[in-house]
Amino acid sequence: MAVYVLPAGVSAGIAWVGLVREFSGKGRLLGSWASSSLMLLVLALMGVVAAGAVVLLPHAASIPPVVAGAATGATALPRRRQDETAQPYVKFMTLGIALVRERLVQRVHLDACSWSDRFLQGIETSAQLRVFVHDLKLYLLERHPLTAETKTICAIYTDVQTAIDVALDVQTRIDEACRQAGREATGDELVARRQAFGTALAQCGHLLRFAYVHGRRSENEELRVLRAKAMSDDAFHSPAVPSQRRWFDRWLTR
């Protein structure tokens, strides 16, 4: 039994290291139960492949030379670009590993989007969003001093600011028209206001996803402090500095 378990374990371990390196800066492999299950399925399939190789290797000498030559020659055939290789026959030849990995990539991205949407649910006004985005930008710049990442953060922040300005202009124009006419906002005006604010929220989501992808779970509490400060009428109602954590908490929250 150990003859099969050891190769399977080694294969799964190497696959785990490869997945961690591949998804570094792209998302969290353990961001949800769905992504965790898909990741474990990839490791299990890799282990099955390794165990199967142990079974088949003793019979390698019985493979006809013509078949071995054809298989070797096939590796030299021209290959398509990476984004065009995910054909059904490729997924079948990899025993479903390519298909599960593709689903894992999608799931990791959806985890980041879902986390960002849930995080922004409490923000209801453009003023709150502006305060939060500004604090979030400073928070990220302190933790990502590299030039390339700094440019990305500033570029996303500029897009968010532009969207917030548009939302404020729409809200101000509608409020002024309602005040002068002494009426409530019409259905079309409410839709326009909601769409403009929704666009600003979506742009802010890009900056939040950067924090999610490039950060750690231990930073979630600090981000919640920034959100609470932005949502409060008085910034002094929320603590300026996050509560101190014990030295081993960061390992428990990874």
Side-chain angles (χ1 to χ4, degrees):
M1 188 65 178
V3 176
Y4 305 107
V5 173
L6 182 59
V10 172
S11 176
I14 295 175
W16 163 252
V17 174
L19 287 175
V20 170
R21 294 193 61 182
E22 178 183 356
F23 283 87
S24 177
K26 298 180 181 179
R28 298 177 183 176
L29 285 172
L30 305 178
S32 67
W33 285 107
S35 59
S36 300
S37 300
L38 289 170
M39 184 269 299
L40 290 175
L41 182 56
V42 171
L43 299 184
L45 289 174
M46 294 299 296
V48 170
V49 171
V54 173
V55 175
L56 296 177
L57 279 177
H59 306 284
S62 62
I63 297 178
V66 176
V67 176
T72 305
T75 61
L77 293 175
R79 299 182 181 272
R80 298 181 180 181
R81 297 196 305 270
Q82 184 67 25
D83 59 345
E84 296 179 356
T85 57
Q87 301 297 328
Y89 67 88
V90 175
K91 298 175 182 178
F92 174 77
M93 291 173 61
T94 57
L95 302 180
I97 296 177
L99 178 61
V100 177
R101 182 187 166 281
E102 180 180 304
R103 294 284 305 205
L104 178 60
V105 172
Q106 296 173 352
R107 185 68 256 177
V108 168
H109 175 70
L110 290 177
D111 287 345
C113 294
S114 299
W115 180 87
S116 174
D117 293 340
R118 291 194 304 268
F119 196 91
L120 291 173
Q121 284 180 353
I123 298 180
E124 300 178 351
T125 66
S126 299
Q128 293 175 347
L129 188 61
R130 185 186 292 277
V131 173
F132 173 69
V133 168
H134 181 266
D135 291 344
L136 179 59
K137 183 195 73 168
L138 297 180
Y139 176 89
L140 293 176
L141 289 177
E142 290 177 355
R143 285 155 179 79
H144 300 280
L146 298 179
T147 304
E149 294 176 342
T150 298
K151 290 181 178 179
T152 300
I153 294 170
C154 292
I156 299 175
Y157 176 75
T158 300
D159 294 338
V160 179
Q161 285 292 91
T162 301
I164 293 176
D165 291 339
V166 173
L168 286 173
D169 290 341
V170 171
Q171 181 178 349
T172 302
R173 185 173 65 253
I174 293 175
D175 290 345
E176 181 64 20
C178 292
R179 186 186 64 81
Q180 292 181 355
R183 60 174 176 82
E184 298 291 333
T186 64
D188 291 340
E189 289 173 337
L190 291 176
V191 170
R193 181 190 300 172
R194 186 177 183 86
Q195 288 179 339
F197 182 66
T199 301
L201 278 177
Q203 292 293 337
C204 180
H206 296 321
L207 197 58
L208 261 180
R209 284 195 289 277
F210 183 94
Y212 175 90
V213 169
H214 296 275
R216 296 181 177 180
R217 296 177 189 271
S218 57
E219 298 177 0
N220 290 355
E221 181 60 30
E222 298 174 5
L223 295 176
R224 283 192 286 268
V225 169
L226 296 181
R227 181 184 60 185
K229 179 180 177 182
M231 294 170 57
S232 175
D233 294 333
D234 183 357
F236 295 99
H237 288 173
S238 58
V241 179
S243 58
Q244 297 295 319
R245 298 191 300 272
R246 294 166 296 181
W247 65 271
F248 55 83
D249 281 352
R250 63 190 185 97
W251 300 103
L252 297 178
T253 55
R254 279 180 182 270

